[in-house]
Coordinates of all heavy atoms in Angstrom, one line a residue:
Q269 N 6.5 7.1 -6.3 CA 5.4 7.7 -5.6 C 4.5 6.6 -5.0 O 4.5 5.5 -5.5 CB 4.5 8.5 -6.6 CG 5.3 9.8 -7.0 CD 4.3 10.7 -7.8 OE1 3.2 10.3 -8.1 NE2 4.8 11.9 -8.1
I270 N 3.8 6.9 -4.0 CA 3.0 6.0 -3.2 C 2.0 5.2 -4.1 O 1.8 4.0 -3.9 CB 2.3 6.6 -2.0 CG1 1.9 5.5 -1.0 CG2 1.2 7.5 -2.4 CD1 1.5 6.0 0.3
E271 N 1.4 5.9 -5.0 CA 0.4 5.2 -5.8 C 1.0 4.2 -6.8 O 0.3 3.4 -7.4 CB -0.5 6.2 -6.6 CG 0.2 6.9 -7.8 CD 1.0 8.1 -7.4 OE1 1.3 8.4 -6.3 OE2 1.3 8.8 -8.4
Q272 N 2.3 4.2 -7.0 CA 3.0 3.3 -7.9 C 3.5 2.1 -7.2 O 4.1 1.1 -7.8 CB 4.2 4.0 -8.6 CG 3.8 5.2 -9.5 CD 2.9 4.7 -10.6 OE1 3.0 3.7 -11.2 NE2 1.9 5.6 -10.9
L273 N 3.4 2.0 -5.8 CA 3.9 0.8 -5.1 C 3.1 -0.4 -5.5 O 1.9 -0.4 -5.6 CB 3.7 1.1 -3.6 CG 4.6 2.2 -3.0 CD1 4.3 2.4 -1.5 CD2 6.1 1.8 -3.2
S274 N 3.8 -1.5 -5.6 CA 3.1 -2.8 -5.9 C 3.4 -3.7 -4.7 O 4.3 -3.5 -3.9 CB 3.7 -3.4 -7.2 OG 4.7 -4.3 -7.0
T275 N 2.6 -4.8 -4.7 CA 2.8 -5.8 -3.7 C 4.2 -6.4 -3.8 O 4.8 -6.9 -2.8 CB 1.8 -6.9 -3.8 OG1 1.8 -7.5 -5.1 CG2 0.4 -6.4 -3.5
L276 N 4.8 -6.4 -5.0 CA 6.2 -6.9 -5.2 C 7.2 -6.0 -4.5 O 8.4 -6.5 -4.3 CB 6.5 -7.1 -6.7 CG 5.5 -7.9 -7.4 CD1 5.8 -7.9 -8.9 CD2 5.5 -9.3 -6.9
D277 N 6.9 -4.8 -4.2 CA 7.8 -3.8 -3.6 C 7.9 -4.0 -2.0 O 8.7 -3.5 -1.4 CB 7.4 -2.4 -3.8 CG 7.5 -2.0 -5.3 OD1 8.4 -2.5 -6.0 OD2 6.7 -1.2 -5.7
L278 N 6.9 -4.8 -1.5 CA 6.8 -4.9 -0.1 C 7.3 -6.3 0.3 O 6.9 -7.3 -0.2 CB 5.3 -4.8 0.3 CG 4.9 -4.9 1.7 CD1 5.5 -3.7 2.4 CD2 3.4 -4.8 1.8
D279 N 8.2 -6.3 1.3 CA 8.7 -7.5 1.9 C 8.4 -7.5 3.4 O 9.1 -7.0 4.2 CB 10.2 -7.7 1.7 CG 10.8 -9.0 2.1 OD1 10.0 -9.8 2.8 OD2 11.9 -9.3 1.7
I280 N 7.2 -8.1 3.7 CA 6.7 -8.1 5.0 C 7.6 -8.9 6.0 O 7.8 -8.6 7.1 CB 5.3 -8.6 5.1 CG1 4.3 -7.6 4.5 CG2 4.8 -9.0 6.4 CD1 4.1 -6.3 5.4
S281 N 8.2 -10.0 5.4 CA 9.0 -10.8 6.3 C 10.3 -10.1 6.8 O 10.7 -10.4 7.9 CB 9.4 -12.1 5.5 OG 10.3 -11.8 4.4
T282 N 10.8 -9.1 6.1 CA 11.9 -8.3 6.6 C 11.6 -6.9 6.9 O 12.4 -6.1 7.3 CB 13.0 -8.3 5.5 OG1 12.5 -7.6 4.3 CG2 13.5 -9.7 5.1
N283 N 10.3 -6.6 6.9 CA 9.8 -5.2 7.2 C 10.5 -4.2 6.4 O 10.9 -3.2 6.9 CB 10.0 -4.9 8.7 CG 9.1 -5.8 9.6 OD1 8.1 -6.3 9.2 ND2 9.6 -6.1 10.8
E284 N 10.5 -4.4 5.0 CA 11.1 -3.5 4.1 C 10.2 -3.2 2.9 O 9.4 -4.0 2.5 CB 12.4 -4.0 3.6 CG 13.5 -4.1 4.6 CD 14.8 -4.6 4.0 OE1 14.8 -5.5 3.1 OE2 15.9 -4.2 4.4
L285 N 10.4 -2.0 2.4 CA 9.7 -1.5 1.2 C 10.8 -1.1 0.2 O 11.7 -0.3 0.6 CB 8.8 -0.3 1.6 CG 8.0 0.3 0.4 CD1 7.0 -0.7 0.0 CD2 7.4 1.5 0.9
R286 N 10.7 -1.6 -1.0 CA 11.7 -1.3 -2.0 C 11.2 -0.1 -2.8 O 10.1 0.0 -3.3 CB 11.8 -2.5 -3.0 CG 12.9 -2.2 -4.1 CD 13.1 -3.4 -4.9 NE 11.9 -3.9 -5.5 CZ 11.7 -4.2 -6.8 NH1 12.8 -4.1 -7.6 NH2 10.6 -4.6 -7.2
I287 N 12.0 0.9 -2.9 CA 11.7 2.1 -3.6 C 12.5 2.1 -4.9 O 13.7 2.3 -4.9 CB 12.1 3.4 -2.8 CG1 11.3 3.4 -1.5 CG2 11.8 4.7 -3.6 CD1 11.6 4.5 -0.5
K288 N 11.8 1.7 -6.0 CA 12.4 1.5 -7.3 C 13.2 2.7 -7.8 O 14.3 2.6 -8.3 CB 11.4 1.1 -8.3 CG 10.8 -0.3 -8.1 CD 9.8 -0.5 -9.2 CE 8.9 -1.7 -8.8 NZ 7.8 -1.8 -9.7
S289 N 12.6 3.9 -7.7 CA 13.2 5.0 -8.3 C 14.5 5.4 -7.7 O 15.4 5.9 -8.4 CB 12.2 6.2 -8.2 OG 12.0 6.5 -6.8
K290 N 14.7 5.0 -6.5 CA 16.0 5.3 -5.8 C 16.8 4.0 -5.6 O 17.9 4.1 -5.0 CB 15.8 6.0 -4.5 CG 15.1 7.3 -4.6 CD 14.9 8.0 -3.3 CE 14.2 9.3 -3.5 NZ 14.0 10.0 -2.2
Q291 N 16.3 2.9 -6.0 CA 17.0 1.6 -5.8 C 17.4 1.4 -4.4 O 18.6 1.0 -4.1 CB 18.2 1.5 -6.8 CG 17.8 1.5 -8.2 CD 16.9 0.3 -8.6 OE1 17.2 -0.8 -8.2 NE2 15.8 0.5 -9.4
I292 N 16.5 1.7 -3.4 CA 16.9 1.5 -2.0 C 15.8 0.7 -1.3 O 14.6 0.6 -1.8 CB 17.1 2.8 -1.3 CG1 15.8 3.7 -1.3 CG2 18.3 3.5 -1.8 CD1 15.9 4.9 -0.4
F293 N 16.1 0.1 -0.2 CA 15.1 -0.5 0.6 C 14.9 0.3 1.9 O 15.8 0.8 2.5 CB 15.6 -1.9 1.1 CG 15.6 -2.9 0.0 CD1 16.7 -3.0 -0.9 CD2 14.5 -3.7 -0.2 CE1 16.6 -4.0 -1.9 CE2 14.4 -4.7 -1.2 CZ 15.5 -4.8 -2.1
Q294 N 13.6 0.6 2.1 CA 13.2 1.5 3.2 C 12.7 0.6 4.3 O 11.7 -0.2 4.1 CB 12.1 2.5 2.8 CG 11.6 3.3 3.9 CD 12.6 4.3 4.4 OE1 13.4 4.9 3.6 NE2 12.7 4.4 5.7
P295 N 13.3 0.6 5.5 CA 12.8 -0.2 6.6 C 11.4 0.4 7.1 O 11.2 1.6 7.0 CB 13.8 0.0 7.7 CG 14.7 1.1 7.3 CD 14.5 1.4 5.9
L296 N 10.6 -0.5 7.5 CA 9.2 -0.2 8.0 C 9.2 -0.4 9.5 O 9.8 -1.4 10.0 CB 8.2 -1.0 7.3 CG 8.1 -0.9 5.8 CD1 7.1 -2.0 5.2 CD2 7.6 0.5 5.4
S297 N 8.5 0.4 10.2 CA 8.3 0.2 11.6 C 7.4 -1.1 11.8 O 6.7 -1.5 10.9 CB 7.6 1.4 12.3 OG 6.3 1.5 11.9
K298 N 7.5 -1.6 13.0 CA 6.7 -2.8 13.3 C 5.2 -2.5 13.2 O 4.4 -3.3 12.8 CB 7.1 -3.4 14.7 CG 8.4 -4.0 14.7 CD 8.7 -4.6 16.1 CE 10.1 -5.2 16.1 NZ 10.4 -5.8 17.4
E299 N 4.9 -1.3 13.6 CA 3.5 -0.8 13.6 C 3.0 -0.8 12.1 O 1.9 -1.3 11.8 CB 3.3 0.5 14.3 CG 1.9 1.0 14.3 CD 1.8 2.3 15.0 OE1 2.7 3.2 14.9 OE2 0.7 2.6 15.6
T300 N 3.8 -0.2 11.3 CA 3.4 -0.1 9.8 C 3.3 -1.5 9.2 O 2.4 -1.7 8.5 CB 4.5 0.8 9.1 OG1 4.5 2.1 9.6 CG2 4.2 0.9 7.6
S301 N 4.3 -2.3 9.5 CA 4.2 -3.7 9.0 C 3.0 -4.4 9.5 O 2.3 -5.1 8.7 CB 5.5 -4.5 9.4 OG 6.6 -4.0 8.8
A302 N 2.6 -4.2 10.7 CA 1.4 -4.9 11.3 C 0.1 -4.4 10.5 O -0.7 -5.1 10.1 CB 1.2 -4.6 12.7
Y303 N 0.1 -3.0 10.3 CA -1.1 -2.5 9.5 C -1.1 -3.0 8.1 O -2.2 -3.4 7.6 CB -1.0 -1.0 9.5 CG -1.5 -0.3 10.7 CD1 -0.6 0.6 11.4 CD2 -2.7 -0.5 11.3 CE1 -1.0 1.2 12.6 CE2 -3.2 0.1 12.4 CZ -2.3 1.0 13.1 OH -2.7 1.6 14.2
L304 N 0.1 -3.1 7.5 CA 0.1 -3.6 6.1 C -0.3 -5.1 6.0 O -0.9 -5.5 5.1 CB 1.5 -3.4 5.5 CG 1.8 -1.9 5.1 CD1 3.3 -1.7 4.7 CD2 0.9 -1.5 3.9
R305 N 0.1 -5.9 7.0 CA -0.3 -7.3 7.1 C -1.8 -7.4 7.1 O -2.4 -8.2 6.4 CB 0.3 -8.0 8.3 CG 1.7 -8.5 8.0 CD 2.2 -9.4 9.2 NE 3.6 -9.6 9.0 CZ 4.6 -9.0 9.6 NH1 4.3 -7.9 10.4 NH2 5.8 -9.3 9.4
K306 N -2.4 -6.6 8.0 CA -3.9 -6.6 8.1 C -4.5 -6.2 6.8 O -5.5 -6.8 6.3 CB -4.3 -5.7 9.2 CG -4.0 -6.2 10.6 CD -4.4 -5.2 11.7 CE -4.0 -5.7 13.0 NZ -4.4 -4.7 14.1
Y307 N -3.9 -5.1 6.2 CA -4.5 -4.7 4.9 C -4.4 -5.7 3.8 O -5.3 -6.0 3.1 CB -3.7 -3.4 4.5 CG -4.1 -3.0 3.0 CD1 -5.3 -2.5 2.7 CD2 -3.1 -3.2 2.0 CE1 -5.6 -2.2 1.4 CE2 -3.4 -2.9 0.7 CZ -4.7 -2.4 0.4 OH -5.0 -2.1 -0.9
L308 N -3.2 -6.4 3.7 CA -3.0 -7.5 2.7 C -4.0 -8.6 2.9 O -4.5 -9.2 1.9 CB -1.6 -8.0 2.7 CG -0.6 -7.0 2.2 CD1 0.9 -7.5 2.5 CD2 -0.8 -6.6 0.8
N309 N -4.4 -8.9 4.2 CA -5.4 -9.9 4.4 C -6.7 -9.5 3.9 O -7.5 -10.3 3.3 CB -5.5 -10.3 5.9 CG -4.3 -11.1 6.4 OD1 -3.7 -11.8 5.6 ND2 -4.0 -10.9 7.7
V310 N -7.1 -8.2 4.0 CA -8.3 -7.7 3.5 C -8.3 -7.5 2.0 O -9.3 -7.8 1.3 CB -8.7 -6.4 4.2 CG1 -9.9 -5.7 3.6 CG2 -8.9 -6.6 5.7
R311 N -7.1 -7.1 1.5 CA -6.9 -6.8 0.1 C -7.4 -7.9 -0.8 O -7.9 -7.7 -1.9 CB -5.5 -6.4 -0.2 CG -5.1 -6.0 -1.6 CD -3.6 -5.8 -1.7 NE -3.3 -5.4 -3.0 CZ -3.1 -6.3 -4.1 NH1 -3.3 -7.6 -3.9 NH2 -2.8 -5.8 -5.2
Q312 N -7.2 -9.1 -0.4 CA -7.5 -10.3 -1.3 C -9.0 -10.3 -1.6 O -9.4 -10.9 -2.6 CB -7.1 -11.6 -0.6 CG -7.8 -11.9 0.7 CD -7.3 -13.1 1.4 OE1 -6.9 -14.0 0.8 NE2 -7.3 -13.1 2.7
Y313 N -9.8 -9.8 -0.7 CA -11.3 -9.8 -1.0 C -11.7 -8.8 -2.0 O -12.8 -8.7 -2.4 CB -12.0 -9.6 0.3 CG -11.8 -10.7 1.3 CD1 -11.0 -10.5 2.4 CD2 -12.3 -12.0 1.1 CE1 -10.7 -11.5 3.3 CE2 -12.0 -13.0 1.9 CZ -11.2 -12.8 3.1 OH -10.9 -13.8 3.9
F314 N -10.8 -7.9 -2.4 CA -11.1 -6.9 -3.4 C -10.9 -7.5 -4.8 O -11.2 -6.9 -5.8 CB -10.1 -5.7 -3.4 CG -10.2 -4.9 -2.1 CD1 -9.1 -4.0 -1.8 CD2 -11.2 -5.0 -1.2 CE1 -9.2 -3.2 -0.6 CE2 -11.2 -4.3 0.0 CZ -10.2 -3.4 0.2
H315 N -10.5 -8.8 -4.9 CA -10.3 -9.5 -6.1 C -9.4 -8.6 -7.0 O -9.8 -8.1 -8.1 CB -11.6 -9.8 -6.8 CG -12.5 -10.6 -5.9 ND1 -12.3 -11.9 -5.7 CD2 -13.7 -10.3 -5.3 CE1 -13.2 -12.4 -4.8 NE2 -14.1 -11.4 -4.6
P316 N -8.1 -8.4 -6.6 CA -7.2 -7.5 -7.3 C -7.1 -7.8 -8.8 O -7.0 -9.0 -9.2 CB -5.9 -7.8 -6.6 CG -6.2 -8.4 -5.3 CD -7.5 -9.2 -5.5
K317 N -7.1 -6.8 -9.5 CA -7.0 -6.9 -11.0 C -5.6 -6.3 -11.4 O -5.3 -6.2 -12.6 CB -8.1 -6.1 -11.7 CG -9.4 -6.7 -11.4 CD -10.6 -5.8 -11.7 CE -11.9 -6.4 -11.3 NZ -12.1 -6.8 -10.0
T318 N -4.8 -6.0 -10.4 CA -3.4 -5.5 -10.6 C -2.6 -5.8 -9.4 O -3.1 -6.2 -8.3 CB -3.6 -3.9 -10.8 OG1 -2.3 -3.4 -10.9 CG2 -4.2 -3.3 -9.6
D319 N -1.3 -5.7 -9.5 CA -0.3 -5.9 -8.4 C -0.1 -4.6 -7.6 O 0.6 -4.6 -6.6 CB 1.0 -6.4 -8.9 CG 1.0 -7.8 -9.3 OD1 0.2 -8.6 -8.7 OD2 1.8 -8.2 -10.2
Y320 N -0.7 -3.5 -8.0 CA -0.5 -2.3 -7.2 C -1.0 -2.5 -5.8 O -1.9 -3.3 -5.5 CB -1.3 -1.1 -7.8 CG -0.7 -0.5 -9.1 CD1 -1.2 -0.8 -10.3 CD2 0.5 0.2 -9.0 CE1 -0.6 -0.3 -11.5 CE2 1.1 0.7 -10.1 CZ 0.6 0.4 -11.4 OH 1.2 0.9 -12.5
L321 N -0.3 -1.9 -4.8 CA -0.5 -2.2 -3.4 C -1.9 -1.7 -3.0 O -2.6 -2.4 -2.3 CB 0.6 -1.6 -2.6 CG 0.6 -1.9 -1.1 CD1 0.6 -3.4 -0.8 CD2 1.8 -1.2 -0.4
F322 N -2.2 -0.4 -3.3 CA -3.4 0.2 -2.7 C -4.5 0.2 -3.8 O -4.3 0.7 -4.9 CB -3.1 1.6 -2.2 CG -2.1 1.6 -1.1 CD1 -0.8 2.1 -1.4 CD2 -2.4 1.1 0.1 CE1 0.1 2.1 -0.3 CE2 -1.4 1.1 1.1 CZ -0.2 1.6 0.9
L323 N -5.6 -0.5 -3.5 CA -6.7 -0.7 -4.4 C -8.0 -0.1 -4.0 O -8.2 0.1 -2.8 CB -6.9 -2.2 -4.6 CG -5.7 -3.0 -5.0 CD1 -6.1 -4.5 -5.1 CD2 -5.1 -2.6 -6.3
T324 N -8.8 0.1 -5.0 CA -10.2 0.4 -4.7 C -11.0 -0.8 -4.3 O -10.4 -1.9 -4.4 CB -10.9 1.0 -5.9 OG1 -11.0 0.0 -6.9 CG2 -10.2 2.2 -6.5
A325 N -12.2 -0.7 -3.8 CA -13.0 -1.9 -3.4 C -13.3 -2.8 -4.6 O -13.6 -3.9 -4.4 CB -14.3 -1.4 -2.8
K326 N -13.1 -2.2 -5.8 CA -13.4 -3.0 -7.0 C -12.1 -3.7 -7.6 O -12.1 -4.3 -8.6 CB -14.0 -2.2 -8.1 CG -15.4 -1.8 -7.7 CD -16.1 -1.0 -8.9 CE -17.5 -0.7 -8.5 NZ -18.2 0.0 -9.5
G327 N -11.0 -3.5 -6.9 CA -9.7 -4.1 -7.2 C -8.8 -3.4 -8.1 O -7.8 -3.9 -8.6
Y328 N -9.1 -2.1 -8.4 CA -8.3 -1.3 -9.3 C -7.3 -0.3 -8.4 O -7.6 -0.1 -7.3 CB -9.1 -0.4 -10.2 CG -9.9 -1.3 -11.2 CD1 -11.3 -1.6 -10.9 CD2 -9.3 -1.9 -12.3 CE1 -12.0 -2.4 -11.8 CE2 -10.0 -2.7 -13.1 CZ -11.4 -2.9 -12.9 OH -12.1 -3.7 -13.7
K329 N -6.3 0.1 -9.1 CA -5.3 1.0 -8.4 C -6.0 2.3 -7.9 O -6.7 3.0 -8.7 CB -4.2 1.3 -9.4 CG -3.2 2.2 -8.9 CD -2.1 2.5 -10.0 CE -2.0 3.9 -10.3 NZ -1.0 4.3 -11.2
L330 N -5.6 2.7 -6.7 CA -6.0 4.0 -6.2 C -5.1 5.1 -6.8 O -3.9 4.8 -7.0 CB -5.9 4.1 -4.7 CG -6.9 3.4 -3.8 CD1 -6.5 3.4 -2.4 CD2 -8.2 4.1 -3.9
N331 N -5.6 6.3 -7.1 CA -4.8 7.3 -7.5 C -4.3 8.1 -6.3 O -4.7 7.9 -5.2 CB -5.5 8.2 -8.6 CG -6.7 8.9 -8.0 OD1 -6.6 9.5 -6.9 ND2 -7.7 9.0 -8.8
L332 N -3.3 9.0 -6.6 CA -2.7 9.8 -5.5 C -3.7 10.6 -4.7 O -3.7 10.7 -3.5 CB -1.6 10.7 -6.1 CG -0.8 11.5 -5.0 CD1 -0.2 10.6 -4.0 CD2 0.3 12.3 -5.7
R333 N -4.7 11.2 -5.4 CA -5.7 12.0 -4.7 C -6.5 11.2 -3.7 O -6.7 11.6 -2.6 CB -6.6 12.7 -5.7 CG -7.7 13.5 -5.1 CD -8.6 14.1 -6.2 NE -9.3 13.1 -7.0 CZ -10.4 12.4 -6.6 NH1 -10.9 12.5 -5.4 NH2 -10.9 11.5 -7.4
Q334 N -6.8 10.0 -4.2 CA -7.6 9.1 -3.3 C -6.8 8.6 -2.1 O -7.3 8.6 -1.0 CB -8.0 7.8 -4.1 CG -9.1 8.1 -5.2 CD -9.3 6.9 -6.1 OE1 -8.3 6.4 -6.6 NE2 -10.5 6.6 -6.3
I335 N -5.5 8.3 -2.3 CA -4.7 7.9 -1.2 C -4.5 9.1 -0.2 O -4.6 8.9 1.0 CB -3.3 7.4 -1.7 CG1 -3.5 6.2 -2.5 CG2 -2.3 7.2 -0.6 CD1 -2.2 5.7 -3.3
K336 N -4.3 10.3 -0.7 CA -4.2 11.4 0.2 C -5.4 11.6 1.0 O -5.4 12.0 2.2 CB -3.8 12.7 -0.6 CG -2.4 12.7 -1.0 CD -2.1 14.0 -1.8 CE -0.7 14.1 -2.3 NZ -0.4 15.4 -3.0
Q337 N -6.6 11.5 0.4 CA -7.9 11.6 1.1 C -8.0 10.6 2.2 O -8.5 10.9 3.3 CB -9.0 11.5 0.0 CG -10.3 11.9 0.5 CD -11.3 11.9 -0.7 OE1 -11.2 11.1 -1.6 NE2 -12.3 12.8 -0.6
I338 N -7.6 9.4 1.9 CA -7.7 8.3 2.9 C -6.8 8.6 4.1 O -7.2 8.5 5.3 CB -7.3 6.9 2.3 CG1 -8.4 6.5 1.4 CG2 -7.1 5.9 3.4 CD1 -8.1 5.4 0.5
I339 N -5.6 9.1 3.8 CA -4.6 9.4 4.9 C -5.1 10.6 5.7 O -5.1 10.6 7.0 CB -3.2 9.7 4.3 CG1 -2.6 8.4 3.7 CG2 -2.3 10.3 5.4 CD1 -1.4 8.6 2.9
K340 N -5.7 11.6 5.1 CA -6.2 12.7 5.7 C -7.4 12.3 6.7 O -7.4 12.8 7.8 CB -6.7 13.7 4.7 CG -7.2 15.1 5.3 CD -7.6 16.0 4.2 CE -8.1 17.3 4.7 NZ -8.5 18.2 3.6
Q341 N -8.2 11.5 6.2 CA -9.3 11.0 7.0 C -8.8 10.1 8.2 O -9.3 10.3 9.3 CB -10.3 10.1 6.2 CG -11.5 9.6 6.9 CD -12.4 10.6 7.4 OE1 -12.6 11.7 6.8 NE2 -13.0 10.4 8.6
A342 N -7.8 9.3 8.0 CA -7.3 8.5 9.0 C -6.6 9.3 10.1 O -6.7 9.0 11.3 CB -6.3 7.5 8.5
K343 N -6.0 10.4 9.8 CA -5.4 11.3 10.8 C -6.5 12.0 11.7 O -6.2 12.3 12.8 CB -4.6 12.4 10.1 CG -3.3 11.9 9.5 CD -2.5 13.0 8.9 CE -1.2 12.5 8.4 NZ -0.4 13.5 7.7
R344 N -7.7 12.2 11.2 CA -8.7 12.8 12.0 C -9.3 11.8 13.0 O -9.8 12.2 14.0 CB -9.9 13.2 11.1 CG -9.6 14.4 10.2 CD -10.9 14.8 9.5 NE -10.5 15.4 8.2 CZ -11.2 15.4 7.2 NH1 -12.4 14.9 7.2 NH2 -10.8 16.0 6.1
E345 N -9.2 10.5 12.7 CA -9.7 9.5 13.6 C -8.8 9.1 14.8 O -7.7 9.4 14.9 CB -10.1 8.3 12.8 CG -11.2 8.5 11.8 CD -11.5 7.3 10.9 OE1 -10.9 6.3 11.1 OE2 -12.3 7.5 10.1

């Protein structure tokens, strides 16, 4: 699940995301990779307290409800 993704699952250099549960690598579009690169640059300022990919502003893991809310909001913009 998306909330379980960690920074270790992401390989930006090859534009791939590792899905542990299925033991596969999912290719990412160039656009998605570009957004994730930007996010990772900002993510460091959250002072991460975990390796989970998606974090709150305080550096903790976002839950699925929070991630869905963010995606829903982004689609409106």
